[in-house]
Coordinates of all heavy atoms in Angstrom, one line a residue:
Chain Z
I199 N 2.8 10.7 5.7 CA 3.2 10.5 4.3 C 2.5 11.7 3.5 O 1.3 11.9 3.7 CB 2.7 9.2 3.7 CG1 3.4 8.0 4.4 CG2 2.9 9.1 2.2 CD1 4.4 7.3 3.7
T384 N 13.3 5.5 6.6 CA 13.6 4.6 5.5 C 12.8 5.1 4.3 O 11.9 6.0 4.4 CB 13.1 3.2 5.7 OG1 11.7 3.2 6.0 CG2 13.8 2.6 6.9
L385 N 13.0 4.5 3.1 CA 12.1 4.7 2.0 C 10.8 4.2 2.3 O 10.6 3.2 3.0 CB 12.6 3.9 0.7 CG 14.0 4.3 0.2 CD1 14.3 3.3 -1.0 CD2 14.0 5.7 -0.3
M386 N 9.7 4.8 1.8 CA 8.4 4.3 2.0 C 7.5 4.6 0.8 O 7.8 5.5 0.0 CB 7.8 5.0 3.2 CG 8.4 4.6 4.5 SD 7.5 5.2 6.0 CE 8.6 4.7 7.3
V387 N 6.4 3.8 0.7 CA 5.4 4.1 -0.3 C 4.1 4.4 0.3 O 3.6 5.5 0.3 CB 5.3 2.9 -1.4 CG1 4.3 3.3 -2.4 CG2 6.7 2.7 -2.0
D388 N 3.5 3.3 0.9 CA 2.2 3.5 1.5 C 2.2 3.9 2.9 O 1.3 4.6 3.4 CB 1.4 2.1 1.4 CG 2.2 1.0 2.1 OD1 3.4 0.8 1.7 OD2 1.7 0.4 3.0
G389 N 3.2 3.4 3.7 CA 3.2 3.8 5.1 C 2.3 3.0 6.0 O 2.0 3.3 7.1
T390 N 1.6 2.0 5.4 CA 0.6 1.2 6.1 C 1.0 -0.3 6.2 O 0.1 -1.1 6.7 CB -0.8 1.4 5.5 OG1 -0.7 0.7 4.2 CG2 -1.2 2.8 5.3
G391 N 2.2 -0.7 5.8 CA 2.5 -2.1 5.9 C 2.3 -2.9 4.7 O 2.3 -4.1 4.8
M392 N 2.0 -2.3 3.6 CA 1.6 -3.0 2.4 C 2.7 -3.3 1.4 O 2.5 -4.2 0.6 CB 0.5 -2.2 1.8 CG -0.2 -2.8 0.7 SD -1.0 -1.5 -0.3 CE 0.3 -1.1 -1.4
C393 N 3.8 -2.6 1.4 CA 4.7 -2.8 0.3 C 6.1 -3.3 0.7 O 6.8 -3.9 -0.1 CB 4.9 -1.4 -0.4 SG 6.0 -0.3 0.5
G394 N 6.5 -3.1 1.9 CA 7.8 -3.7 2.3 C 9.0 -2.8 1.9 O 10.2 -3.2 2.1
A395 N 8.8 -1.7 1.3 CA 9.9 -0.8 0.9 C 10.7 -0.3 2.1 O 11.9 -0.1 2.0 CB 9.4 0.4 0.1
C396 N 10.0 -0.3 3.2 CA 10.6 0.3 4.4 C 11.2 -0.8 5.3 O 11.6 -0.5 6.5 CB 9.5 1.0 5.2 SG 8.2 -0.2 5.8
R397 N 11.4 -2.0 4.8 CA 11.9 -3.1 5.7 C 13.3 -2.8 6.1 O 14.2 -2.3 5.4 CB 11.7 -4.4 5.0 CG 12.5 -4.7 3.8 CD 12.0 -6.0 3.1 NE 12.9 -6.5 2.1 CZ 12.9 -6.0 0.8 NH1 12.0 -5.0 0.5 NH2 13.7 -6.5 -0.1
F406 N 9.1 -3.8 9.4 CA 8.6 -2.7 8.5 C 8.6 -1.5 9.3 O 7.8 -1.3 10.3 CB 7.2 -3.1 8.0 CG 7.2 -4.1 7.0 CD1 8.3 -4.9 6.7 CD2 6.0 -4.4 6.3 CE1 8.3 -5.9 5.7 CE2 5.9 -5.4 5.3 CZ 7.1 -6.2 5.0
A407 N 9.4 -0.5 9.0 CA 9.6 0.7 9.7 C 8.3 1.5 9.9 O 8.0 2.1 10.9 CB 10.6 1.7 9.1
C408 N 7.4 1.4 8.9 CA 6.2 2.2 8.9 C 5.1 1.7 9.9 O 4.4 2.5 10.5 CB 5.5 2.3 7.5 SG 4.8 0.8 6.9
V409 N 5.1 0.4 10.2 CA 4.1 -0.1 11.1 C 4.7 -0.7 12.4 O 4.2 -0.6 13.5 CB 3.2 -1.2 10.5 CG1 2.2 -0.5 9.5 CG2 3.9 -2.3 9.8
Chain D
L506 N 0.7 -7.3 4.9 CA 2.1 -7.3 4.8 C 2.7 -8.3 3.8 O 2.4 -9.5 3.9 CB 2.8 -7.5 6.1 CG 2.7 -6.4 7.1 CD1 1.3 -6.1 7.6 CD2 3.5 -6.7 8.4
P507 N 3.5 -7.9 2.8 CA 4.0 -8.9 1.8 C 5.0 -9.8 2.5 O 5.7 -9.4 3.4 CB 4.7 -8.0 0.8 CG 5.0 -6.7 1.5 CD 3.9 -6.5 2.5
E525 N 5.2 -3.6 -3.8 CA 5.9 -2.4 -4.0 C 6.0 -2.1 -5.5 O 5.7 -1.0 -6.0 CB 7.2 -2.4 -3.3 CG 8.0 -1.1 -3.6 CD 9.4 -1.0 -3.0 OE1 9.8 -1.9 -2.3 OE2 10.1 0.0 -3.3
Ligands
FES147 S1 6.0 1.9 3.6 FE1 5.1 0.2 2.6 S2 5.2 -1.3 4.1 FE2 6.1 0.3 5.0

Side-chain angles (χ1 to χ4, degrees):
Chain Z
I199 296 248
T384 61
L385 295 177
M386 288 191 189
V387 180
D388 56 301
T390 65
M392 189 198 86
C393 78
C396 63
R397 65 192 191 276
F406 286 7
C408 70
V409 288
Chain D
L506 289 64
E525 176 181 356

